[in-house]
Every structure is written in structure tokens, then in C-alpha cells.
């Protein structure tokens, strides 16, 4: 099994150095692919100075994040692709631990881990929650979209995720129309049609929370609209055996509206709050889904839908 780590970058040389170093220092060898989306800083000269230890591609024009990811996967030669944005970085054991997990579940097509959220100075702010039992486990393909719909299976952002290259290529790659507004989630939805999922309850990745992050440019209304689109795609792929157990799509949409209304209130964004305000705030089903998402996701996944796969002895 060979891993390729695909790093996309645009005018963030200081951050890019950290991302590349985190891959070069991995405890097992892996291919490093850097796609430079036509940076105007010193990115090109720096990456070329690294020589043959990095596969470097520079776009002639700026094509956007999704297109850069697709180019990186095309250039990669690994069986598995580890995604990495230039402002994020990996734990030194990330690729090794993912490789061990995948070796025990050869029919898996996607793998995710816990990520630490860090500030611009690398200080940890929080961590993404554990998912399911044990240090690592798998979810059968027929259960994945059910779990995604009810937010019991949060694959997370690119720094957390790896996928099989052939499964990625079958999906046609990332959708440039979404471009950093759930283009990653859209990809996980499609990849999960082709095999099992693995989750590692280990912190193997670091995501930087800062004003320059790509997703900060989207309004709350845009995020709501895209979230609804993702739910519609997931809903259509839920296996037949789960159909009687899931809420209606209209109730899911009301839940999302309620969620983003609360986000707008927390951010004191009155204009977004007023523009999203509708009858969803009166929906008892939406409130139940919200409370379930907050309080019940772990116990429901642990007890009902996860087949445990222990990888490391406690």
C-alpha cells in the first residue's frame, strides 16, 4: 500500500513549509504532491529547491481549490490519497496509523481521524469528538450514508481524511462549483458509495483556525444552502434497510435552518438571522433532531450501527 499526500497551495509559503515538513517527517515513507495554484510569492522556487522528494505541479492560471485537488490526485501515484491544505499539518504518525487500520479492512475506501483545532501559533483550541467505540473501528458501506444523514458519521475536513485513489477517480473528483463550500463533504458522500469507512479515535491531524481560511469567505446563508444540498444528496443514498428509521427530508431541512439560526445568534449576526428566520423555529421535529445531534450521537452510533474493529490493544 502506497500513500500520496496531496497538498494544495496558493500564496501561503510560510504555512506551506510547515505542511510539507509534516509529511516529510512521517514515520513511514509516502509521496508528497504539491499543487501550486499559480502563486505569486516564492512558492515555486521553494518547492523546487526540495528536489525529487516532492512532486511539484504549478497551474498556469489560478483554477480554485477543488480543481487543484483534482490535479493533485491525477499526479499522485499512491493507492491511497491523504488530503492536506497548506494551512494544516499532520501528526508524525498519521500515515502509519492509517495504513495499519486500512490493512485490517482492505475493502475500506475512506478513512478519517480526530483533528486538533489550533490557532495561528499552533496552540490547541479544541479537538473533534471521538466517533464510536475503541481506538479504531469500521462502518459497513450500507450504514455510512445513514450515519452521515443523522450526523453520527462526521468524516470532517480534508486534514482528517484519506481515501482510495481509484474510488476518488470513479466519482469524477471534487466539484469546482462548490469550491471550498462543502466540496470536501460532497466528495466523501460520493466516495462512500464504493466501500467501507474507517475511523481512528486518535489525534493525527491539526487544523488551523484563522481568518484566512478558505471557508471564511462564505456567508451563513450560503453555508445553510449548501448544507441543505448535501443533506439532499446523502438522503438519496441511504440504504433501503434504514429508510423507515430516518426523518423526512423536510424535517432535516428545518433542523439545518434551526442550527444556522442559532449560529447567527451566537455570532450576533442579526441580518443573517432575520433572513433565515421562518417557521422552522416552530418545528418540534427540528428541535428534536437538534437535541439528538447534541446529546445522543455517540450513544446511538455505539449501540446500534457500528461494527467494532480493534486495531491497538489498550
Amino acid at each position: 500500500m502506497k500513500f500520496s499526500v496531496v497538498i494544495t497551495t496558493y500564496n501561503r509559503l510560510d504555512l506551506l513549509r510547515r505542511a510539507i515538513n509534516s509529511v516529510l517527517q512521517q514515520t513511514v515513507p509516502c509521496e508528497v504532491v504539491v499543487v501550486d495554484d499559480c502563486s505569486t510569492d516564492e512558492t515555486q522556487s521553494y518547492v523546487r529547491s526540495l528536489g525529487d522528494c516532492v512532486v511539484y505541479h504549478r497551474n498556469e492560471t489560478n483554477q480554485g481549490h477543488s480543481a487543484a485537488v483534482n490535479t493533485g490526485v491525477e499526479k499522485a501515484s499512491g493507492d491511497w490519497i491523504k488530503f492536506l491544505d497548506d494551512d494544516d499539518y499532520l501528526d508524525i504518525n498519521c500515515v502509519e496509523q492509517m495504513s495499519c487500520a486500512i490493512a485490517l479492512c482492505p475493502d475500506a475506501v475512506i478513512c478519517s481521524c480526530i483533528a486538533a483545532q489550533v490557532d495561528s501559533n499552533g496552540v490547541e483550541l479544541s479537538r473533534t469528538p471521538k466517533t464510536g467505540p475503541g481506538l479504531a473501528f469500521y462502518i459497513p458501506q450500507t450504514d455510512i450514508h445513514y450515519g452521515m444523514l443523522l450526523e453520527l458519521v462526521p468524516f470532517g475536513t480534508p486534514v482528517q481524511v484519506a481515501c482510495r485513489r481509484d474510488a476518488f477517480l470513479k466519482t469524477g473528483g471534487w466539484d469546482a462549483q462548490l469550491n471550498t463550500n462543502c466540496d470536501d463533504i460532497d466528495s466523501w458522500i460520493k466516495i462512500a458509495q464504493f466501500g467501507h469507512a474507517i475511523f481512528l479515535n486518535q489525534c493525527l491531524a491539526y487544523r488551523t483556525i484563522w481568518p484566512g481560511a478558505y471557508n471564511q469567505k462564505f456567508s451563513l446563508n450560503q453555508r445553510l444552502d449548501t448544507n441543505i444540498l448535501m443533506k439532499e444528496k446523502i438522503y438519496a443514498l441511504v440504504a433501503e434497510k434504514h429508510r423507515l428509521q430516518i426523518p423526512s427530508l423536510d424535517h432535516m431541512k428545518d433542523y439545518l435552518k434551526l442550527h444556522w439560526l442559532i449560529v447567527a445568534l451566537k455570532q450576533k449576526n442579526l441580518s443573517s438571522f432575520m433572513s433565515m428566520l421562518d417557521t422552522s423555529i416552530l418545528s418540534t421535529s427540528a428541535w428534536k433532531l437538534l437535541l439528538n445531534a447534541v446529546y445522543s450521537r455517540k450513544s446511538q452510533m455505539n449501540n446500534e450501527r457500528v461494527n467494532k474493529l480493534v486495531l491497538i490493544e489498550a
Side-chain angles (χ1 to χ4, degrees), residues 3 26-27 82 90-99 113 159 200 204-205:
F3 259 78
Q26 289 296 301
T27 53
K82 179 72 196 74
L90 304 179
D91 182 85
I92 191 172
N93 297 303
C94 181
V95 172
E96 181 177 9
Q97 292 301 313
M98 285 190 165
S99 297
C113 67
V159 72
L200 282 76
L204 301 172

Side-chain angles (χ1 to χ4, degrees), residues 128-163:
T128 56
K130 290 185 177 182
T131 303
L135 289 177
F137 66 96
Y138 83 98
I139 301 176
Q141 192 280 323
T142 54
D143 293 344
I144 296 174
H145 293 103
Y146 167 81
M148 292 184 79
L149 184 74
L150 298 185
E151 298 177 8
L152 306 171
V153 183
F155 287 110
T157 58
V159 72
Q160 297 170 249
V161 176
C163 77

Side-chain angles (χ1 to χ4, degrees), residues 21 25 28 30 32-33 37 40 46 55 70 79 86 136 138 146 148 151 155 169 173 191 194 232 237 263 274:
N21 286 338
Q25 294 170 6
V28 295
C30 54
V32 187
V33 180
D37 201 17
T40 57
Y46 169 71
V55 177
N70 292 338
D79 308 299
D86 54 8
Y138 83 98
Y146 167 81
M148 292 184 79
E151 298 177 8
F155 287 110
L169 294 175
I191 290 167
F194 299 107
E232 290 173 340
L237 293 171
V263 171
M274 294 305 297

Side-chain angles (χ1 to χ4, degrees), residues 37-38 57-68 71 176 179:
D37 201 17
C38 200
H57 174 85
R58 176 180 167 84
N59 290 335
E60 294 183 0
T61 59
N62 184 269
Q63 298 178 18
H65 183 254
S66 298
T71 297
N179 208 18

Side-chain angles (χ1 to χ4, degrees), residues 141-196:
Q141 192 280 323
T142 54
D143 293 344
I144 296 174
H145 293 103
Y146 167 81
M148 292 184 79
L149 184 74
L150 298 185
E151 298 177 8
L152 306 171
V153 183
F155 287 110
T157 58
V159 72
Q160 297 170 249
V161 176
C163 77
R164 246 178 39 196
R165 183 174 182 270
D166 59 351
F168 179 96
L169 294 175
K170 286 178 184 177
T171 69
W174 286 23
D175 186 348
Q177 297 299 313
L178 297 171
N179 208 18
T180 75
N181 188 16
C182 288
D183 50 359
D184 51 353
I185 304 301
D186 180 64
S187 183
W188 316 153
I189 294 168
K190 294 184 289 187
I191 290 167
Q193 297 176 81
F194 299 107
H196 306 320

